[in-house]
Amino acid sequence: MSSHTTTASSTEILDLLDVPALLLRADRVVHANLAALSMFGRHIEGQDVRIALRHPDAVALLTSGRNDSVRISGLSTSGSLWQMDCNSLKDGTKLVTLTDLSIQESVARAHADFVANASHELRTPLAAVLGYVETLKDPKAGDNEATRLRFLDIIAKEANRMQALVEDLMSLSRIEASKHQLPTEVIDLVAIARQCIGETQAGDRLILQAEISDARMSGDASQLAQALRNLIDNALKYGGAETPVTVSIEKGSTGWISLSVADQGEGIAPQHMPRLTERFYRADPGRSRQIGGTGLGLSIVKHIVERHRGRFDIASRLGHGTTATCIFPPA
């Protein structure tokens, strides 16, 4: 088989690949597939590889004569991570393929951050529990009834905080495990809202505005109730003292259903808005921990809404309160 035929066959194979791929001869790019042209630009064909790629780690591998692999940071964009594989073909050309590891690396980093944050959140109340238990073991502290009761109250509070965090972690795990399973049960969002409001101890502060008698949609009733409870709980905690919280349900002409929970609190500063649904992110960490927040409530709401193929949005102005809105497709 001639060199020309082999090269033609190689280029045809390259053009079928979804990953960026190059053919080199004498350190020059003789062919780049569509993915590579999109990544580097159409001008790279015919160029010396040192000019075409302009990355020292990539150039070092491709001009070394070795068949090898290397991980390269920032080859396409800042923060990107690629694996470059270089192999010699029988006709003397080099086949170079690139695999994007950026998402994989990002997921691994997010997982590591999640574990670290969860460990930190659990370690703080656990340290308090262990510390006060150790103090109570001291006869002097144990003999003082007022001190003993105060310490036991603190232990109970921190233990409840750990329990809430563990329950939210387990809940988030269950929701993520089912995120690709579209709910098929037909439920009434108005009925769920009435149920959640009726269960709330501060129900006298809650106002239900539902211009429609029912809002039927495909959904997981328990998850939607959990999402609404989280939003109501946040609004009651962070809204103005004794001010009302409004739960609104509307249905648009296209059939999409909107569920909103609005408070009249201090509002949220603009710099916090993009990160509110991140796990363990708190706009006011001290206040959140003081009132028993786990830092996972809005993240859970977001995941539940996304499982229902809906959209979740938070709007807020300092001094004018906050409105959290979930929009769901019709049944």
Side-chain angles (χ1 to χ4, degrees), residues 130-143 148 151:
L130 293 174
Y132 282 106
V133 167
E134 190 66 29
T135 303
L136 283 174
K137 290 166 67 176
D138 185 331
K140 294 180 180 178
D143 290 342
R148 187 177 68 83
F151 286 1

Side-chain angles (χ1 to χ4, degrees), residues 113-131 155 157-170 280 282 289 293-296:
D113 289 345
F114 176 67
V115 171
N117 285 330
S119 300
H120 173 74
E121 293 290 334
L122 285 168
R123 190 181 298 117
T124 303
L126 181 59
V129 169
L130 293 174
I155 291 171
K157 178 183 176 182
E158 296 298 335
N160 287 331
R161 179 177 160 191
M162 282 192 291
Q163 182 182 30
L165 180 56
V166 170
E167 288 176 350
D168 275 357
L169 288 170
M170 293 177 65
F280 300 114
R282 296 177 173 92
R289 290 192 175 92
T294 65
L296 293 172

Side-chain angles (χ1 to χ4, degrees), residues 5-6 12 31 39 41 56 124 134 167 172 182 203 230 246-247 255-256 270 275 291 297 320-321:
T5 304
T6 305
E12 290 170 2
H31 184 73
M39 179 173 172
T124 303
E134 190 66 29
E167 288 176 350
L172 191 57
L182 188 63
N230 283 359
T246 304
V247 179
W256 282 70
R275 302 188 60 189
I291 60 180
H320 292 82

Side-chain angles (χ1 to χ4, degrees), residues 35-55:
L37 293 174
S38 176
M39 179 173 172
F40 297 110
R42 296 189 172 275
H43 62 277
I44 67 168
E45 285 195 325
Q47 280 191 337
D48 187 298
V49 69
R50 287 162 288 206
I51 298 173
L53 301 189
R54 298 180 181 274
H55 193 291

